[in-house]
């Protein structure tokens, strides 16, 4: 087998081994904006004979299959002086070019038009963040909530993609955490791409990837922004952020600091019955004002000594405190006894996250590239709780106190090697090792029973992974990428007072991925994809930390959670900017929050649990449209998914509709009006029945005095974001609703200062566990 593989690569190397290179470039005007259109010519030096031609589009051009030699690059664009540069080519080149404004004079002429910020290709979505509507949003998390198929959790701490689950986040070719993404300045982001079919080089823990590309400028210097957002929901919230970067020759320094004062409102209500126990509980939880203070910061250093070689260091911190009083009204029927219980719970919570990483990248020659990275991350949480109850309108009596602590430390090492046989064939090989150790300590004092409970829980997880992939062309019309990732995972969880671990697992998984793109003609492509992926539970979900809801219900972690494995097959047909897509998937051990009964503790638990199976299918179309001052982007899909479990009492499933529409009107040169809506039909997904949603939004963005961006936004105008859910599972019949504090009026003001510098910052987060830490 080894000889066959060696012979295969020798044949490939021989077939594609001739030296041809690729020229790429970015072209800007003197203010740092991309030049929208132009002509790019490659001429043979000395003779000026024509060699290659490309169109300059949206500031970018590519010239492929260029032989070594001496050339002259010539760029022409309307309204700019012609640009020429002589050079010798002996490897791939990346140009960064600034065009000078031409001498043409136009008086009293103003053209007001709009360009669609959305681009669709091979089943993926790319968003131009420099569009006035997006660039004026100061918060990157709010920015994501405006994208089709992307959904933000009510606590703004997680992202999900419809039909795909939680995506990975990458900055260029480098993975970052949610905390690091939240700290990015929106005005520094050029594009966001939603990759629905990521290759094997990305971690197996993800069916989708959000790829962030930073804006590029032309000069060294200082640039930055100060952002202030005043938000009125049920309570008042304030976001203040400062971001800056300084670049000089080979050095780049980046820093950010954010301070948020939030007053979050939360509420949910459930009626559930435990048939085995003969108990019925009807409760309403209200958190009228959670006083949350967040401090986010980051610092990065980058040194690049030639076009491809660099070292970098990056660090991120996030500190959060919560002062959250809970109020719960509970009607409890236990056999023939009925009680009305009022509960007051005081929670003082603090969370601290930190991460640092070091990267080294070296291009050994024009065919080989080497990367190594080391990363260390940690998270600490403390939760102090006081619980008082009033039975049938009596006085409140202190029932119990809880002191809980949780911490986790994770480190990771990554190694990647890339070999280019030619511009038509590339081979990648990589490996990474990571280890995470967590501990959870709980002390509960119950005063009425005069009891004390101590739980000391330890958790350790190790991951060893390697991958190999090959990408290239089969003829002129077929692109392919195929690879295999192997991951070996060990998990151990133990309570200090127990003689044996309560959870121990050792498993090795294979994750193949294949992607084929067929060019049917100049406007039509067909993309076919197969992938196997995994979704591991967050570390904090696998701990013993609990939260008191009412005398018969606890919010709890689940130390026995298993990862979810998914096989997925998808097809995308694209004609111009319109596309038709279809996906089928099967998952084992999917997870969902449910209420279950613990007979040993004689209490109900609200926790994340594994179900047996899930399968689903969705098909839809994307229909963008632009004309004059109006641009419209629309997505409609028919979805069907079914969750199955042998302990569920019913398992009906019906298809439902998802629809997204966004309309932008450029009503003046620096003014943009946006209206949009998202709709989800009533969902019956096997075990669960969920309500339909129709959410409307509007915004008005205005640029003032060149450097000031002002936006007035109205979100969830009809206050429709209430999530209803019904199920019958594990002997529990439940019917409830989660009330989201989504209706918002927000005024954002951002000031941009400094030069339009190109910050060459590169830093790769190498720890695949980042998104699971908090």
């Amino acid at each position: 087998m080894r000889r066959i593989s060696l012979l295969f690569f020798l044949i490939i190397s021989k077939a594609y081994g001739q030296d041809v290179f690729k020229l790429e470039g970015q072209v800007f005007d003197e203010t740092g904006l991309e030049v929208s259109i132009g002509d790019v010519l490659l001429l043979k030096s000395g003779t000026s004979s024509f060699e290659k031609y490309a169109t300059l589009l949206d500031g970018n051009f590519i010239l492929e299959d260029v032989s070594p030699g001496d050339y002259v690059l010539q760029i022409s664009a309307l309204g700019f002086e012609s640009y020429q540069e002589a050079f010798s080519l002996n490897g791939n080149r990346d140009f960064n070019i600034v065009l000078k404004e031409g001498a043409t004079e136009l008086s009293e002429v103003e053209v007001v038009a709009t360009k669609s910020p959305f681009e669709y290709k091979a089943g993926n979505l790319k968003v131009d963040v420099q569009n006035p509507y997006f660039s004026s949003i100061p918060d990157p998390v709010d920015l994501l909530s405006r994208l089709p198929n992307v959904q933000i959790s009510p606590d703004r701490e997680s992202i999900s993609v419809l039909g795909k689950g939680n995506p990975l986040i990458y900055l260029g070719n480098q993975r970052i955490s949610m905390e690091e993404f939240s700290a990015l300045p929106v005005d520094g982001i050029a594009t966001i791409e939603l990759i629905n079919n990521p290759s094997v080089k990305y971690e197996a823990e993800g069916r989708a990837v959000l790829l962030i590309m930073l804006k590029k400028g032309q000069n060294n210097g200082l640039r930055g922004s100060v952002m202030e957002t005043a938000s009125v929901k049920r309570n008042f919230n304030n976001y203040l952020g400062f971001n800056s970067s300084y670049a000089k020759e080979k050095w780049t320094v980046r820093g950010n600091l954010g301070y948020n004062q939030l007053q979050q409102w939360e509420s949910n209500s459930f009626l559930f019955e435990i048939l085995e126990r003969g108990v019925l509980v009807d409760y309403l939880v209200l958190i009228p004002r959670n006083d949350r203070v967040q401090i986010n910061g980051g610092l990065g250093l980058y040194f690049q000594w030639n076009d491809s070689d660099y070292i970098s260091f990056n660090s991120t911190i996030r500190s959060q405190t919560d002062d959250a009083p809970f109020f719960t009204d509970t009607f409890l029927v236990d056999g023939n006894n009925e009680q009305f219980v009022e509960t007051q719970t005081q929670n003082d919570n603090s969370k601290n996250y930190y991460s640092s990483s070091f990267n080294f990248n070296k291009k050994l020659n024009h065919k080989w590239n080497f990367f190594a990275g080391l990363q260390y991350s940690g998270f600490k949480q403390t939760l102090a709780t006081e619980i008082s109850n009033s039975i049938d309108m009596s006085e409140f009596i202190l029932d119990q106190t809880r002191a809980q602590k949780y911490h986790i430390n994770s480190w990771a090492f990554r190694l990647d090697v890339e070999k280019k046989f030619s511009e038509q064939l590339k081979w990648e090989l990589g490996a990474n090792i990571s280890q995470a150790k967590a501990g959870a300590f709980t002390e509960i004092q119950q005063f009425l029973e005069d009891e004390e409970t101590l739980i000391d829980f330890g958790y350790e997880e190790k991951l060893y992974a390697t991958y190999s992939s090959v990408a290239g062309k089969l003829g002129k019309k077929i692109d392919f990428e195929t690879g295999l990732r192997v991951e070996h995972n060990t998990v151990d969880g133990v309570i200090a007072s127990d003689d044996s671990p309560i959870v121990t697992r050792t498993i090795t998984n294979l994750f193949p991925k294949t992607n084929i793109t067929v060019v049917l003609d100049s406007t039509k492509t067909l993309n076919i994809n197969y992938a196997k992926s995994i979704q591991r539970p967050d570390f904090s979900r696998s701990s013993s930390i609990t939260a008191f809801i009412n005398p018969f219900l606890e919010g709890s972690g689940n130390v026995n959670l298993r990862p979810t494995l998914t096989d997925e097959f998808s097809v995308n047909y694209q004609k111009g900017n319109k596309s038709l897509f279809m996906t089928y998937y099967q998952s084992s051990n999917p997870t969902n929050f449910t209420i279950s009964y613990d007979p040993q503790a004689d209490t109900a638990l609200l926790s994340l649990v594994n179900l047996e199976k899930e399968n689903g299918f969705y098909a839809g179309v994307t229909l963008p449209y632009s004309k004059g001052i109006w641009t419209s982007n629309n997505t409609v899909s028919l979805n069907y998914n079914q969750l199955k479990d042998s302990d569920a009492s019913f398992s009906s499933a019906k298809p439902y509709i998802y629809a997204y529409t966004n309309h932008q009107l450029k009503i003046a040169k620096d003014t943009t009006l946006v209206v949009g809506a998202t709709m989800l039909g009533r969902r019956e997904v096997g075990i669960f029945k969920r309500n339909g949603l129709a959410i409307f939004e509007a915004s008005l963005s205005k640029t003032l005095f060149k450097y000031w961006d002002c936006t007035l936004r109205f979100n969830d105008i009809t206050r429709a974001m209430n999530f209803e859910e019904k199920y019958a599972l594990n002997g529990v019949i439940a019917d409830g609703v989660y009330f989201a504090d989504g209706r918002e009026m927000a005024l954002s003001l951002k000031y941009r200062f400094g030069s339009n510098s190109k910050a060459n910052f590169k830093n790769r987060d190498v720890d695949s566990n980042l998104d699971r830490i908090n």
Side-chain angles (χ1 to χ4, degrees):
M1 185 64 184
R2 187 179 305 169
R3 293 178 179 177
I4 294 174
S5 300
L6 179 60
L7 179 62
F8 170 76
F9 280 107
L10 286 174
I11 293 172
I12 292 295
S13 180
K14 184 69 175 177
Y16 291 97
Q18 65 178 31
D19 288 333
V20 290
F21 305 110
K22 179 168 64 174
L23 308 180
E24 297 181 83
Q26 300 82 40
V27 183
F28 306 89
D29 63 18
E30 293 177 292
T31 67
L33 297 177
E34 297 172 340
V35 176
S36 59
I37 195 166
D39 297 307
V40 181
L41 289 89
L42 187 66
L43 310 175
K44 197 70 175 179
S45 181
T47 64
S48 296
S49 61
F50 172 77
E51 289 288 324
K52 293 280 185 178
Y53 169 81
T55 299
L56 172 66
L57 186 62
D58 295 334
N60 296 279
F61 68 86
I62 299 177
L63 296 165
E64 296 184 306
D65 301 331
V66 183
S67 301
D70 297 326
Y71 297 96
V72 174
L73 182 68
Q74 180 175 305
I75 299 178
S76 302
L78 183 64
F80 297 92
E81 296 181 3
S82 180
Y83 175 89
Q84 285 190 342
E85 180 179 343
F87 64 96
S88 295
L89 182 66
N90 54 15
N92 295 332
R93 287 288 303 269
D94 189 356
F95 293 87
N96 194 278
I97 297 167
V98 179
L99 298 185
K100 295 183 179 180
E101 188 176 352
T104 305
E105 291 187 5
L106 297 175
S107 60
E108 301 302 326
V109 176
E110 181 179 277
V111 178
V112 178
T114 186
K115 174 190 171 185
S116 175
F118 297 93
E119 178 184 347
Y120 301 91
K121 185 177 180 180
N124 301 323
L125 167 68
K126 190 174 184 179
V127 181
D128 177 14
V129 181
Q130 294 309 299
N131 175 274
Y133 167 57
F134 291 117
S135 64
S136 62
I137 298 174
D139 187 346
V141 177
D142 283 340
L143 175 63
L144 287 183
S145 69
R146 304 306 196 276
L147 307 186
N149 297 320
V150 178
Q151 297 174 311
I152 307 298
S153 64
D155 59 9
R156 298 168 53 88
E157 293 183 355
S158 65
I159 307 168
S160 63
V161 176
L162 187 69
K164 294 282 188 177
N166 302 117
L168 304 177
I169 307 175
Y170 272 76
L171 181 61
N173 291 324
Q174 310 133 35
R175 185 175 180 185
I176 62 174
S177 66
M178 182 67 175
E179 285 73 20
E180 288 170 290
F181 171 74
S182 300
L184 288 176
V186 172
D187 69 320
I189 300 175
T191 61
I192 296 178
E193 186 173 2
L194 175 57
I195 303 175
N196 286 301
N197 301 312
S199 69
V200 73
K201 72 179 180 180
Y202 298 105
E203 283 80 357
E205 192 180 347
R207 295 166 60 196
V209 168
L210 285 169
L211 178 61
I212 316 298
M213 300 299 294
L214 295 181
K215 184 171 65 176
K216 297 180 179 179
Q218 78 278 19
N219 299 317
N220 292 321
L222 176 70
R223 74 184 303 270
S225 63
V226 180
M227 299 169 288
E228 167 69 21
T229 299
S231 164
V232 179
K233 295 184 177 181
R234 293 179 186 266
N235 300 315
F236 179 79
N237 301 277
N238 188 77
Y239 303 86
L240 176 63
F242 172 82
N243 296 276
S244 66
S245 65
Y246 178 76
K248 185 175 182 180
E249 297 177 351
K250 299 178 180 180
W251 287 93
T252 300
V253 181
R254 285 177 49 188
N256 63 273
L257 183 64
Y259 180 77
N260 304 326
Q261 287 187 308
L262 313 178
Q263 299 178 20
Q264 294 187 322
W265 182 95
E266 297 179 47
S267 181
N268 69 81
S269 176
F270 260 88
L271 169 65
F272 65 90
E273 184 177 3
I274 302 173
L275 302 179
E276 172 190 354
R277 178 65 171 73
V279 169
L280 182 144
V281 179
D282 186 2
Y283 76 87
L284 170 67
V285 173
L286 175 64
I287 308 174
R289 191 177 73 175
N290 173 13
D291 288 323
R292 172 175 293 179
V293 176
Q294 292 177 338
I295 300 176
N296 304 317
L299 177 66
L301 302 174
Y302 172 70
F303 176 71
Q304 179 174 343
W305 58 89
N306 58 38
D307 290 341
S308 58
D309 302 338
Y310 67 87
I311 58 174
S312 65
F313 171 80
N314 190 58
S315 63
T316 300
I317 61 171
R318 182 179 186 180
S319 176
Q320 175 178 304
T321 60
D322 294 87
D323 182 7
F326 285 37
F327 300 93
T328 307
D329 292 337
T330 305
F331 178 66
L332 175 63
V333 179
D334 186 355
N336 296 322
N337 298 321
E338 296 182 0
Q339 284 184 333
F340 177 72
V341 183
E342 294 178 272
T343 303
Q344 295 181 358
T345 307
Q346 180 61 47
N347 292 284
D348 291 323
N349 189 20
S350 68
K351 297 179 180 180
N352 294 287
Y353 168 84
Y354 49 91
S355 179
S356 60
S357 60
F358 176 79
N359 290 180
F360 171 75
N361 192 85
K362 174 66 177 176
K363 191 169 187 178
L364 304 177
N365 54 46
H366 68 277
K367 292 185 177 180
W368 288 91
N369 191 76
F370 171 85
F371 170 84
L374 182 67
Q375 184 159 4
Y376 179 81
S377 305
F379 176 73
K380 293 182 179 180
Q381 178 183 6
T382 61
L383 175 61
T385 306
E386 291 185 356
I387 303 163
S388 300
N389 292 315
S390 168
I391 308 297
D392 292 330
M393 307 303 290
S394 63
E395 64 176 338
F396 281 91
I397 299 175
L398 181 63
D399 183 14
Q400 58 180 271
T401 60
R402 300 184 180 190
Q404 301 184 86
K405 296 180 180 180
Y406 174 75
H407 71 273
I408 181 169
N409 296 285
S410 174
W411 67 268
F413 174 75
R414 179 168 187 144
L415 183 69
D416 293 299
V417 178
E418 179 183 305
K419 162 74 171 178
K420 280 191 175 181
F421 294 98
S422 71
E423 289 304 313
Q424 285 78 32
L425 187 66
K426 180 177 67 173
W427 174 56
E428 292 177 293
L429 178 69
N432 62 284
I433 302 171
S434 64
Q435 181 180 31
K437 290 186 176 181
F441 178 78
T442 300
E443 180 183 4
I444 302 176
Q445 294 280 355
Q446 295 177 290
F447 298 106
L448 297 181
E449 290 83 8
D450 193 22
E451 293 182 1
E452 181 182 47
T453 302
L454 298 176
I455 302 174
D456 189 359
F457 176 73
Y459 183 91
E460 182 175 6
E461 182 172 338
K462 297 178 181 178
L463 179 68
Y464 306 91
T466 184
Y467 76 90
S468 178
S469 69
V470 178
K473 290 180 176 290
L474 298 174
K476 294 184 178 180
K477 292 192 173 183
I478 300 178
D479 295 337
F480 75 92
E481 184 168 9
T482 184
L484 177 68
R485 187 177 184 91
V486 183
E487 294 189 353
H488 178 74
N489 184 233
T490 63
V491 175
D492 291 291
V494 61
I495 293 178
S497 58
D498 291 351
D499 296 330
S500 59
I502 58 175
V503 57
T504 179
R505 288 193 302 269
T506 300
I507 189 169
T508 300
N509 286 309
L510 304 180
F511 300 100
K513 291 189 178 183
T514 299
N515 187 286
I516 298 174
T517 300
V518 181
V519 179
L520 303 177
D521 60 29
S522 60
T523 62
K524 303 183 187 71
T525 60
L526 179 67
N527 179 267
I528 302 171
N529 179 79
Y530 166 76
K532 185 174 183 178
S533 61
I534 191 169
Q535 186 71 49
R536 296 185 176 90
D538 293 345
F539 293 116
S540 59
R541 300 294 184 195
S542 303
S543 75
S544 59
I545 295 292
T546 62
F548 184 90
I549 299 176
N550 65 44
F552 202 77
L553 180 64
E554 297 268 356
S556 173
N558 184 353
V559 299
N560 295 305
L561 276 177
R562 300 182 301 278
T564 301
L565 291 169
T566 301
D567 290 277
E568 182 176 53
F569 178 79
S570 63
V571 178
N572 185 88
Y573 171 76
Q574 184 157 337
K575 181 179 180 181
N577 60 357
K578 299 175 177 62
S579 60
L580 170 67
F581 55 88
M582 294 178 286
T583 296
Y584 174 79
Y585 68 92
Q586 285 186 325
S587 299
S588 59
N589 299 320
T591 59
N592 205 94
F593 279 98
T594 65
I595 297 174
S596 58
Y597 176 63
D598 181 358
Q600 291 184 344
D602 191 28
T603 190
L605 298 176
L606 173 62
S607 63
L608 199 62
V609 300
N610 287 112
L611 305 174
E612 291 178 358
K613 293 180 181 179
E614 180 181 7
N615 60 71
F617 173 84
Y618 57 92
V621 294
T622 57
L623 301 169
Y625 176 78
S626 293
K627 185 175 182 180
I629 66 170
W630 175 38
T631 178
S632 172
N633 290 274
N634 309 282
T635 297
V636 180
S637 63
L638 179 66
N639 305 265
Y640 174 91
N641 59 298
Q642 185 175 28
L643 287 155
K644 299 179 180 180
D645 195 279
S646 58
D647 291 324
S649 298
F650 59 86
S651 59
S652 63
K654 295 180 181 179
Y656 61 93
I657 294 290
Y658 168 84
Y660 167 93
T661 186
N662 178 278
H663 303 268
Q664 297 194 26
L665 296 168
K666 195 164 186 179
I667 57 180
K669 181 181 178 181
D670 296 318
T671 306
T672 303
L673 174 66
V674 179
V675 293
T678 301
M679 189 272 286
L680 264 173
R682 180 178 175 83
R683 291 151 290 163
E684 294 188 17
V685 293
I687 300 170
F688 302 94
K689 294 183 178 181
R690 295 167 178 147
N691 64 311
L693 300 170
I695 304 164
F696 299 90
E697 65 171 13
S699 74
L700 183 66
S701 302
K702 174 72 175 177
T703 300
L704 305 170
F705 312 113
K706 190 178 180 179
Y707 296 108
W708 292 86
D709 296 326
C710 182
T711 302
L712 179 63
R713 301 194 307 273
F714 300 90
N715 302 322
D716 190 17
I717 295 172
T718 59
R719 188 169 280 170
M721 292 180 66
N722 297 325
F723 301 89
E724 300 173 9
E725 186 172 73
K726 297 179 181 179
Y727 58 88
L729 180 67
N730 293 320
V732 177
I733 301 174
D735 184 356
V737 57
Y738 298 93
F739 301 99
D741 190 16
R743 188 162 73 174
E744 176 187 33
M745 180 177 69
L747 178 64
S748 301
L749 189 64
K750 176 172 63 178
Y751 173 69
R752 292 172 280 112
F753 62 88
S755 64
N756 293 306
S757 62
K758 176 183 178 180
N760 290 323
F761 192 86
K762 299 178 182 178
N763 195 81
R764 179 184 299 180
D765 278 329
V766 301
D767 190 350
S768 60
N769 291 322
L770 278 181
D771 292 335
R772 302 170 60 208
I773 285 180
N774 58 353

